[in-house]
């Protein structure tokens, strides 16, 4: 796998033979163009599994790529040209208008037979995934910018299933030109005209429970950890785990974070009560029941968010849940007693069931050696109790950006009087000395119910920086980029594309760790944006009073932009995770 946009040469992958699960091949293609970045990553994994992984080391684990076929980019070109879609695609218009125009268009007749043959034999959920030319590159990865659409694919009529598949493909094509993609493109060296989209049609890893379908576990593992805790070091890596589909993690929802070198160590919570407050209470699944609202313009059209109790009813929590005993204020592994359940994966981590953590370390090492670069992998797990087997579905691999610049930062500097911000939990590395603009959320007016309005105001201010090509410091509350507006400010990458330093100040009611498996986090590291985390109960604070005395450039209801008389000096030591911003 390359560290730039160069695609792996993959002429060895056979053409789709109008079979899917009955085919002898797990990876097939339709067309003659590019596979795109994401599919090239999957091609890389396919080879790694065949050439590097010894299945005898993990006899209770089935490791594979969920079966897929890729519609190459030549059919994207034909679709766009034959339907005259470039005008509306490039226009500054709403996502809904673009989707509707694409849904009315016809896919190339040359692939109609292949898609019909595929859908007639397949009755389980499918993920229709983006794989653009520019996706998953090292420095501008477009992580989470384009859409994936999962379809239940369980209607009795082949005609219905076929139409839903066509709509999903068109939806992914349309996402090439959504506002988030156009905004993100502006932060890169590319233009929207450079982009082309391949589409992956892939089996969803999971099992059917009643009217829902989901994996027991989804995860993102990284071989380098920007926020090590306890005994962990950056090179020891980090893993985020969640119940259900991986959307929970990549969208920045609540997940369980641990260091693979120390799997039994608990994340830095204040105690059992704090863990209980920060555990998953819902999860993402494919809806296998009646469709509530037909809306092909919506990514989550076929998805639902059941409660934790529903997963317990499904008997899907065997290896991942524990129980809180309020009388003793202790957490007990498993569900052998009554009490609130929480998702901490202790059977997998504490007991190393299926040698799960050994497998994670093994795969990270193999992929890192193959790419010769720190890596991030996405995966999904299912358990088969009858066979005492675990399936490990390998979903993605991409390179990470890790700076090697040496920055010396003493403990005294974190306690100096001339700081705007200091923190011992900082992502990034290096020295930044040319920022004179600060955009911040007014602390006295912050309320979780207004986070979506705050995101919109920041978007407006960010546009002014983009137009001038300037960078700034962004300061706010809660988890930036979360898809849950009650956990933080739900900005997408394009809305903050010109921020060079981002500061997150937690609050008692919003005190969640930044998910290192989120697409937002991956874009931070790839664009080399520094990220300061300030705990509400920690030793470090933001000097709000000093900010309020600076010259105001733009004042909105919840957000203020100030310009300083001299540049700030930011120093970030990536080895220790410490950083300061000096006034």
């Amino acid at each position: 796998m390359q560290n730039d946009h160069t695609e792996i040469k993959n002429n060895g992958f056979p053409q789709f033979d109008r079979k899917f699960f009955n085919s002898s091949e797990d990876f097939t293609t339709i067309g003659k163009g590019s596979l795109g970045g994401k599919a090239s990553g999957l091609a890389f994994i396919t080879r790694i599994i065949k050439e590097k992984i010894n299945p005898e080391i993990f006899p209770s684990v089935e490791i594979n790529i969920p079966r897929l076929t890729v519609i190459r980019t030549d059919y994207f070109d034909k679709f766009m040209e034959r339907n005259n879609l470039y005008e509306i695609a490039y226009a500054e218009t709403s996502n809904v208008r673009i989707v509707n125009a694409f849904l009315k268009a016809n896919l190339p007749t040359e692939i109609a037979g292949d898609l019909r043959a595929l859908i007639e034999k397949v009755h389980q959920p499918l993920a229709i995934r983006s794989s653009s030319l520019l996706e998953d590159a090292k420095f501008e990865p477009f992580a989470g910018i384009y859409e994936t659409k999962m379809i239940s694919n369980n209607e009795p009529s082949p005609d219905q299933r076929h139409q839903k598949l066509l709509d999903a493909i068109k939806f992914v094509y349309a996402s090439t030109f959504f506002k988030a993609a156009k905004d993100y493109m502006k932060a890169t060296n590319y233009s929207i005209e450079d982009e082309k989209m391949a589409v992956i049609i892939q089996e969803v890893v999971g099992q059917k429970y009643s009217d829902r379908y989901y994996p027991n576990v989804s995860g993102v593992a990284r071989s380098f950890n920007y926020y090590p805790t306890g005994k962990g070091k950056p090179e020891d890596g980090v893993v985020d785990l969640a119940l259900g589909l991986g959307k929970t993690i990549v969208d920045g929802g609540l997940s369980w974070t641990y260091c693979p070198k120390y799997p039994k160590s608990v994340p830095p919570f204040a105690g059992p009560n704090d863990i209980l407050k920060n555990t998953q209470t819902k999860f993402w699944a494919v809806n296998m029941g009646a469709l509530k609202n037909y809306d092909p313009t919506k990514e989550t059209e076929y998805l639902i968010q059941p409660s934790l109790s529903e997963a317990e009813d499904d008997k899907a929590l065997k290896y991942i849940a524990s129980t809180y005993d309020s009388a003793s204020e202790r957490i007990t592994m498993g569900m052998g007693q009554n009490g609130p359940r929480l998702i901490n994966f202790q059977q997998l981590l504490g007991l190393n069931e299926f040698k799960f953590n050994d497998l994670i370390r093994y795969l990270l090492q193999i992929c890192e050696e193959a790419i010769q670069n720190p890596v991030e992998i996405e995966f999904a797990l299912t358990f088969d109790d009858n066979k005492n087997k675990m399936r490990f579905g390998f979903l993605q691999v991409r390179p990470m950006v890790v700076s090697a610049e040496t920055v010396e930062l003493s403990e005294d500097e974190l306690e100096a009087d001339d700081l705007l911000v200091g923190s011992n939990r900082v992502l990034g590395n290096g020295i930044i000395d040319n920022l004179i603009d600060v955009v911040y959320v007014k602390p006295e007016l912050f309320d979780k119910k207004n986070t979506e309005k705050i995101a919109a105001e920041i978007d407006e201010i960010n546009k002014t920086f983009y137009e001038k090509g300037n960078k700034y410091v962004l300061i706010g509350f809660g988890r930036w980029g979360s898809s849950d507006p009650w956990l933080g400010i739900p900005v997408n990458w394009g809305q903050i594309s010109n921020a060079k330093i981002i500061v997150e100040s937690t609050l008692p009611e919003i005190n969640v760790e930044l998910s290192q498996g989120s697409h937002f986090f991956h874009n931070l590291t790839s664009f080399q944006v520094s990220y300061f985390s300030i705990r509400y109960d920690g030793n470090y604070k933001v000097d709000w009073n000093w900010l309020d005395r600076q010259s105001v450039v733009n004042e909105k209801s919840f957000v203020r932009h100030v310009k300083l008389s001299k540049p700030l000096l930011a120093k970030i030591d990536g080895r220790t995770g410490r950083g300061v911003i000096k006034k």
Side-chain angles (χ1 to χ4, degrees), residues 12 95 106 221 254 256 284 329 369 412-413 490 527 529 582:
N95 293 348
N106 295 314
L254 291 173
W256 184 263
W284 285 102
E329 295 188 348
E369 289 173 354
D412 291 341
E413 287 184 85
F527 278 104
V529 174
K582 295 186 177 184

Side-chain angles (χ1 to χ4, degrees), residues 53-74:
I53 295 177
N54 182 357
E56 295 179 1
I57 299 176
F58 301 97
S60 298
V61 183
E62 176 190 357
I63 305 171
N64 60 26
I65 306 295
R67 190 164 293 236
L68 66 94
T69 192
V70 185
I71 304 175
R72 294 176 180 255
T73 55
D74 57 327

Side-chain angles (χ1 to χ4, degrees), residues 179-180 183 251-253 441 446-459 474 476-496 510 520 531 559:
K179 183 181 184 299
D183 287 346
D251 281 2
V441 180
F446 179 78
D447 192 305
K448 289 187 291 184
K449 68 182 180 183
N450 294 322
T451 56
E452 290 177 323
K453 295 177 181 177
I454 292 170
E457 291 187 0
I458 291 170
D459 183 21
L474 176 62
F477 299 94
R479 178 186 286 173
W480 286 101
S482 172
S483 61
D484 185 344
W486 295 95
L487 292 181
I489 301 170
V491 289
N492 62 46
W493 189 254
Q495 292 176 307
I496 58 165
I510 303 182
F520 186 87
Y531 195 99
V559 181

Side-chain angles (χ1 to χ4, degrees), residues 71 75-76 78-80 82-83 102-112 115 162-163 165-171 173 199:
I71 304 175
Y75 281 114
F76 172 78
K78 292 173 182 176
F79 174 72
M80 296 296 296
R82 293 177 186 177
N83 293 284
F102 277 55
L103 290 173
K104 293 174 184 175
N106 295 314
L107 290 174
T109 55
E110 296 94 319
I111 60 173
L115 297 179
H162 183 235
Q163 188 58 53
L165 174 62
L166 300 185
D167 286 349
I169 294 169
K170 295 174 191 176
F171 176 81
Y173 277 161
V199 172

Side-chain angles (χ1 to χ4, degrees), residues 387-398:
K387 298 179 180 178
N388 193 32
K389 283 269 192 180
M390 178 179 80
R391 179 188 181 187
F392 186 99
F394 218 142
L395 302 179
Q396 203 159 335
V397 63
R398 54 166 77 94

